[in-house]
Amino acid sequence: ERGGEEPPRKWVACGNGEDSLLTLPVKIRGVETRAVLDSGATRSAGAAGFAARHRLHGVRDHRVTALTRETVARVTGPLRIEAGAGHLLTTSALILDLAPMARAARMSIELVLGQEFFARNMVEIDPDRAALRFWANGSDNINHWLPVVQTADGLFCTTISPKEGLEAAAILDLGCSTPLYVDPEYAEANDLFGGMGRGSSASLGVVGVGIS
C-alpha cells in the first residue's frame, strides 16, 4: 500500500429490506446493534434505554433545541465503534429518547451515526445490492468521489447536474426518503420538468399543510 493508504472495507448489508433507512451492524464495547446512518444529524446519538442497559453513562449535560422545546441530553465519553471487523470511529454521543424516531420509522433504533461518521469516512453505497462500504478519509483507492464540503452550519453539500449543461448546489441528507427536492422556482426557470407528467401531493409540516 502506498503512503499508508487504507483499503476499503468489505461490502456490508445495509437496511433490513422493510424501510428506507440506511442501517449498519456495529459493535460498541463488544455489544452488537444496528446503527442508522443519518448525515442530517449533527451529532451521533444513542437511545436512552440502550445506554442504560449497557452502562453508557453521560459525562456532561448538553442542551438540545427541538421543534417544540429545549431539552437537556447527556453526552457520553469517547465510544469506540466497530463495523465490518474494523474500527469505524471513536466519538462521543448524545443520550436521547429515540422512541419518537423509532415509532416513525417502525423499527427499533438504538444508535444514530451522524455527521462525524461522514466527516471521517468515505462511504460508497450500492442501492441495488443494499450494501455499503467505507474507508478512512484521505485514501486514494478510488478517484471518482464527488467533491463534498461541510458548511459552517454542519450541512454536507456537493454539486450535481439536474440536466445536461446545468449545475446546482445540493445538500446531502441520508435521513430523507425522497430522492431529490427541488425549489419550484428553480425548476420552472430551468425547465426541469421538460414536458414530463406532473402530479401533486399534500404534506403536513410545522407551518401547516403544503402542496408539492
Side-chain angles (χ1 to χ4, degrees):
E1 297 178 2
R2 295 179 290 107
E5 140 187 336
E6 178 187 340
R9 305 289 183 189
K10 294 181 179 179
W11 289 97
V12 178
C14 60
N16 59 13
E18 298 176 356
D19 57 77
S20 58
L21 296 178
L22 286 177
T23 64
L24 179 70
V26 299
K27 285 184 179 180
I28 303 177
R29 295 181 181 173
V31 178
E32 295 184 353
T33 185
R34 293 195 73 86
V36 173
L37 306 183
D38 187 356
S39 64
T42 57
R43 288 290 301 272
S44 294
F50 177 83
R53 288 195 303 274
H54 301 290
R55 299 182 179 179
L56 304 180
H57 301 298
V59 294
R60 67 181 188 277
D61 290 341
H62 182 84
R63 293 194 173 274
V64 180
T65 302
L67 289 176
T68 57
R69 63 188 175 92
E70 184 180 73
T71 186
V72 176
R74 298 288 284 168
V75 180
T76 69
L79 299 175
R80 179 183 172 88
I81 301 175
E82 300 177 356
H87 178 230
L88 177 60
L89 79 161
T90 300
T91 183
S92 62
L94 295 176
I95 298 176
L96 294 173
D97 178 11
L98 298 180
M101 181 179 181
R103 285 195 297 269
R106 297 180 182 177
M107 61 180 288
S108 173
I109 297 177
E110 296 185 321
L111 180 67
V112 174
L113 293 179
Q115 295 181 356
E116 300 100 326
F117 172 72
F118 299 93
R120 300 180 196 180
N121 296 279
M122 295 191 292
V123 186
E124 186 172 13
I125 300 169
D126 187 335
D128 294 328
R129 295 167 57 181
L132 60 83
R133 62 179 178 171
F134 55 89
W135 54 103
N137 256 326
S139 172
D140 295 325
N141 278 287
I142 60 176
N143 57 16
H144 61 270
W145 293 98
L146 286 173
V148 176
V149 297
Q150 187 174 17
T151 60
D153 54 3
L155 297 175
F156 287 92
C157 300
T158 191
T159 301
I160 64 171
S161 178
K163 71 175 188 179
E164 187 175 354
L166 179 66
E167 288 190 344
I171 296 172
L172 302 178
D173 184 2
L174 296 183
C176 177
S177 59
T178 300
L180 181 66
Y181 278 112
V182 181
D183 178 81
E185 293 182 359
Y186 179 86
E188 293 285 1
N190 293 281
D191 192 29
L192 292 188
F193 297 116
M196 292 184 288
R198 298 167 61 176
S200 62
S201 64
S203 59
L204 179 62
V206 177
V207 295
V209 177
I211 304 296
S212 302

